[in-house]
Amino acid sequence: MTNSDRIRILIVENEGLVGCDMATTLGKLGYVVVAICSSGEEALERLDEFRPDLVLMDVHLAGQLDGIDTARELQRRSRVAIVYVTACADLDTVARARQTHPHGYLLKPFNHDELRLAVEVAAQRHFEENERLRREQSYFEAFQSLADGVIAADLSGGVVFMNPSAARATGWNAQEAVGRSLNEVFRIYQSTGEPAEILSAEAAAHSAERTVYLTTLAGERIPIQDRTAPLRDAQGHLTGLIILFRASAVPAPVEATGMPNRSTAPLVDVVESISDPLFALDARWRVTYANASALRLFDRNLQNMLGLSLWDIMPSATRELHHEAFAHAMLHRETVNRELYLDEKQIWLELRGYPFGEGLLLLVQDVTARREEAERRNRIDRLESLGLLARGFAHDFNNLLTVLLGNISLAEMRLRNAITLPELHTAKQATLQAQNLVQQLLTFARGGAPIKTQLRLGDLIETFFMHHTRANRVEYRLEVQPGLPQIAIDGAQIRRMLSNLIRNAEQAQPDGGEITVRCFAPDHAEMFPGEMVTDTNFQPSGLAIEVEDKGEGIPTEHLPHIFEPYFSTRKADNATGLGLTVCESIAKAHGGSLTVSSEQGKGTTVRFYMPLDSDGEEADAFGLSKVFDAPPELSAVNPRILVLEDDPLVRSLIVRNLTGNGFDVAESSEGSETVRMYQESVTQGRAFDLVILDLSIPNGMGGVRAMEKLRAIDPDVFAIVSSGYSDDPVMANPAAYGFAAVLPKPYEPADMLRLVRNILATRGIRRTSS
């Protein structure tokens, strides 16, 4: 954001590695990270030194104070914005945190994009609040120092502000005047003794200065010159008026007798020039006044508008929906606010009613844009809620899938030489499909970072179709350009995207048809049409996958909405409208793009383009792409492996799998226990050759924190990180956290064995004599 260089950020985080990672990310975005504190006491003690604008606050801290108490004290001492960055999502903690009015609440684990968005939103809110306070203070100081009198009133005619000049002129104490009727405090009359109307802003701008006579609290008549202006809130709603006046040199006229009481009618004149439609109703709902904007809105002239009932000029459904609310407001002399849809113009209107005489004063505003924005935000909120829901059960669900998939695979291996059971194969395929559904939900809800390995797209597509259940009467064509290079991608995500695109193509041809899948390297002429290409030795800069069908096509009016969440034209088929949204998330996560071209009656073509990743070698730096290669042979010495896994079923599966294949395995269920066991092994001269760490341990030390402590004990420790949170940034970039490889859950036992053997063979097994 443009104000990033103005925002000073303090990170209060007891996990040093997490704090450093946040600081590095924010520094690259242009923010100034003033310090990283591990306790609330340190943050409070050095507040004057740090002078932060924004604090990223963990709830669980190293000191006596937790993050919420620290935030409350920081806010008491300074105008500082708080964003909680925590793994705590229980209702009690959230309720306590809400009392501090935070600018954000970011749940761990999170990725860099989520951190960036949370900080940008909080920083923008903080900047806008400071600007508003600055403006309000400057306005207040300016009004207080003006020689002119200033009186502000709300739409009901009540005084809300009076500056010292106005107090001296009217004879009213400013504090006593606030809350009283404007007609009581600001009593103005013409020279004839008739009540003077409050002059509207537009009328004042186009007329000569007038002189009216103000009656003070003591009954003295003084000549003044006045002008008025409308008051609006931040959303542009009319909230009242402001009156400025000064004493005039014209002498006061002779006192007139029998002066009538001022009515509230002049308020209508004040807002005559306001652009918002406005009209007044009597006690029988008849229109007694309408300004020019109201006449334009309803396409009527004043003669045809006056005397009509409110319910005659509004849509027919309005009376049933809103009559009770307006009648209650009129009867009890209360304000009312309702929104309704004007069918003939296809716009949303907000009607705000204020007591006026015996009826109501109605202000009308077109809120169509606001409603559309609210709907867009509601979709985003639903996405965020879905993301929280998905992550809430994904870890545990993937643990269960790991147990199911693992035991089915072990059973298959044991029975392979004796008997073949198709039921086991079916159960395994169903488990893999369940895994795909969970990952699709996570990708849609949070756009998970891909876990990249070096793959050949052609091989991936061919393997996909080997297991794909083909639709009836649909012919499938596969065109793969020969000689394509390997590319660093997340194979699971690309298969998920391909599955969605193929399913859409099949549904577009319910009576049968043709689907063509192409994989190729687009040439320069195609990527940059109309440009001269001089390089005859073409080197691809990216690869593309196209899925083309000959189906019904997409209507032109639907094309702008196809990537919107929940948008679907197949509601009768229980379609969720998430397929293309998921595909777009995957494309963006790979730094690529998804484009759609369609013609009704002729079909649709979807192209996924991704650049050749410059970090491709890094994706393979720890042998990740070799996971599915034949496992290398190891030394006869049994390698020692330490396992951190809190789920007993998953832990039992890992231990049985590794022990049964000749490994010496020790197990632990919490990170601090893992660190203690590793420390003991080093002390005894029998250090573990490999550590397998679960990323998330509820109510305990997880994989990242444990790895940080293990590296302090042994900088050369080799570890694999495993998690059901496959969208966590640690899983996408394990080397940044010191891990040698990743193992997303669920996985098959054979996959774990290949990865473990590959890591040990690549890095070598350390042996230390006892």
Side-chain angles (χ1 to χ4, degrees), residues 380-679:
I380 293 174
D381 290 341
R382 290 164 70 186
L383 285 178
E384 292 178 349
S385 299
L386 181 58
L388 292 175
L389 175 64
R391 302 199 90 246
F393 74 80
H395 182 265
D396 292 338
F397 192 70
N398 278 332
N399 275 347
L400 292 175
L401 289 178
T402 301
V403 175
L404 288 171
L405 186 60
N407 283 283
I408 290 172
S409 299
L410 290 177
E412 277 188 327
M413 287 188 288
R414 291 185 180 183
L415 295 173
R416 186 170 297 160
N417 297 327
I419 188 173
T420 300
L421 294 179
E423 292 83 0
L424 282 179
H425 178 74
T426 302
K428 183 176 180 179
Q429 293 303 312
T431 306
L432 292 172
Q433 290 179 16
Q435 172 198 6
N436 182 66
L437 288 176
V438 175
Q439 296 306 319
Q440 180 154 308
L441 184 61
L442 282 172
T443 303
F444 160 68
R446 294 171 62 98
I451 303 174
K452 295 181 180 181
T453 59
Q454 289 284 350
L455 296 174
R456 293 192 182 277
L457 277 181
D459 295 343
L460 182 146
I461 296 172
E462 290 175 355
T463 303
F464 169 83
F465 277 106
M466 288 174 58
H467 301 284
H468 179 68
T469 303
R470 306 193 175 210
N472 292 331
R473 301 188 302 278
V474 174
E475 181 181 355
Y476 298 82
R477 298 177 182 273
L478 180 59
E479 301 175 3
V480 178
Q481 180 179 333
L484 293 179
Q486 288 189 335
I487 188 170
I489 56 174
D490 184 322
Q493 288 194 5
I494 300 302
R495 283 190 292 271
R496 193 172 307 126
M497 182 197 66
L498 190 60
S499 175
N500 286 340
L501 297 181
I502 295 296
R503 184 168 62 251
N504 284 349
E506 291 169 345
Q507 292 173 347
Q509 304 172 106
D511 299 324
E514 180 181 303
I515 297 176
T516 302
V517 179
R518 302 183 184 91
C519 181
F520 60 98
D523 60 26
H524 291 87
E526 183 178 4
M527 294 298 295
F528 307 101
E531 295 186 10
M532 180 65 68
V533 177
T534 59
D535 184 7
T536 56
N537 296 319
F538 170 62
Q539 294 294 327
S541 58
L543 302 181
I545 298 175
E546 276 188 358
V547 177
E548 178 185 7
D549 66 65
K550 302 297 183 182
E552 56 198 25
I554 303 172
T556 304
E557 64 272 18
H558 291 165
L559 276 173
H561 306 288
I562 57 176
F563 293 119
E564 293 179 3
Y566 307 111
F567 178 81
S568 176
T569 58
R570 297 190 177 93
K571 298 297 184 183
D573 300 329
N574 293 321
T576 62
L578 303 183
L580 282 177
T581 307
V582 171
C583 293
E584 185 186 33
S585 296
I586 292 173
K588 289 181 177 178
H590 281 78
S593 61
L594 197 70
T595 57
V596 178
S597 61
S598 184
E599 187 175 350
Q600 281 193 270
K602 294 187 176 180
T604 301
T605 301
V606 183
R607 173 186 286 191
F608 167 49
Y609 173 80
M610 55 194 144
L612 289 174
D613 195 345
S614 61
D615 297 328
E617 293 183 1
E618 181 180 342
D620 197 33
F622 296 101
L624 303 186
S625 65
K626 303 181 181 67
V627 172
F628 298 100
D629 293 344
E633 295 297 327
L634 297 179
S635 166
V637 178
N638 292 344
R640 303 188 69 230
I641 300 177
L642 176 59
V643 175
L644 167 60
E645 172 59 61
D646 66 308
D647 189 298
L649 294 176
V650 178
R651 189 169 65 249
S652 174
L653 176 68
I654 295 172
V655 172
R656 283 190 291 120
N657 183 31
L658 294 176
T659 303
N661 285 275
F663 293 96
D664 183 4
V665 183
E667 57 185 286
S668 59
S669 59
E670 199 274 329
S672 58
E673 180 185 10
T674 308
V675 174
R676 178 186 59 79
M677 294 174 67
Y678 195 92
Q679 177 69 71

